Amino acid sequence: MYVLTIDQKGSTGDTDRVPGLLARLHRMSTAGRFERSVGDEVQGVVEKPAEVVEIALHSLRGGQWYVGIGVGAVDLPLPASPREGSGAAFVAARLAVEKAKAAAAHVPLSVVSGGLRRGSAAPPEAGPGIAACANAEAVLRLIGRLVQDRTEAQWKVVDALRELQQDASARHGTQKLAAEQLGITEQSVSRAVLRSGWQEEWAARPAAEVLLALAHDAVLEGHR
């Protein structure tokens, strides 16, 4: 399992962004349950690596959240509320979000392995899946940099293309249709795609998903 702990940046001087994030997360995860845990923090359990990648990158988009991903075992059956959940992945997610805060000057995302002992997280220098989690973190941070650095104009193009992608046969949607929808030239769309790194993001997402899956297998193997 993957436990995500997502904490709002500068919450004391900002509006409460948790309700809006929760509404979006509920649309992104088919099985994950997210809710406010403490203060301006959101927590949830996710089963699919692809959904972890989607949620993590979406949270990085506005530069308003720290993202911690804990990988490993959770105690089953899962309770109705993530706040009542327990297991090594929950502890790892807490450590991960704190590590993400320490990396706030860069890309505030971290992936931490669950520990060998029940209800613990692995120390940073040893334990199951440490290297695999570090690899997943590195790739997610690289993609996250592309996401964080996009301008508002680039996001308008990316959002339009992604919406068209649902109906178009092309992997990245149709630039001509996006240009017509946005009232700009195809050249402008092409430049936005190039500068936003959107194609690079979508080419790298499967690698992040594979690395998260490998990390999950490695962590659970260490518990056997």
Side-chain angles (χ1 to χ4, degrees):
M1 293 282 192
Y2 306 90
V3 177
L4 283 85
T5 299
I6 306 170
D7 195 11
Q8 185 177 337
K9 290 184 178 181
S11 55
T12 56
D14 195 3
T15 59
D16 184 2
R17 300 182 183 275
V18 169
L21 179 63
L22 285 174
R24 296 189 297 274
L25 294 185
H26 288 154
R27 294 194 295 268
M28 292 179 192
S29 180
T30 57
R33 289 165 292 179
F34 284 85
E35 64 180 28
R36 187 193 297 268
S37 51
V38 292
D40 293 317
E41 184 179 273
V42 169
Q43 189 171 65
V45 181
V46 178
E47 297 180 8
K48 299 178 181 179
E51 291 183 0
V52 176
V53 173
E54 175 72 12
I55 290 167
L57 295 179
H58 176 80
S59 300
L60 289 174
R61 169 174 175 167
Q64 296 158 342
W65 302 93
Y66 303 104
V67 181
I69 303 169
V71 183
V74 299
D75 295 335
L76 299 174
L78 286 172
S81 168
R83 287 178 295 181
E84 300 173 0
S86 61
F90 281 93
V91 179
R94 168 58 51 199
L95 294 178
V97 79
E98 295 303 322
K99 185 179 173 185
K101 292 177 183 179
H106 304 286
V107 178
L109 175 147
S110 183
V111 182
V112 170
S113 167
L116 286 168
R117 300 184 303 279
R118 178 184 175 90
S120 70
E125 71 281 358
I130 295 294
C133 285
N135 289 337
E137 176 182 289
V139 172
L140 281 169
R141 283 187 174 182
L142 283 172
I143 305 171
R145 174 62 68 189
L146 295 173
V147 169
Q148 284 192 156
D149 289 349
R150 283 182 191 143
T151 65
E152 183 177 348
Q154 289 169 355
W155 271 116
K156 288 181 180 179
V157 172
V158 167
D159 287 340
L161 287 171
R162 189 168 183 191
E163 184 177 343
L164 289 167
Q165 175 181 292
Q166 306 304 317
D167 301 318
S169 59
R171 173 70 176 174
H172 302 291
T174 304
Q175 293 189 18
K176 181 178 180 180
L177 290 175
E180 293 173 354
Q181 178 178 311
L182 296 171
I184 59 178
T185 66
E186 286 187 61
Q187 291 77 9
S188 296
V189 171
S190 181
R191 283 195 300 270
V193 169
L194 179 63
R195 294 172 181 172
S196 69
W198 189 53
Q199 292 180 338
E200 289 79 3
E201 174 198 335
W202 280 88
R205 276 185 179 227
E209 295 166 17
V210 169
L211 289 171
L212 282 171
L214 289 173
H216 184 266
D217 292 344
V219 172
L220 293 187
E221 183 64 28
H223 283 269
R224 294 178 185 144

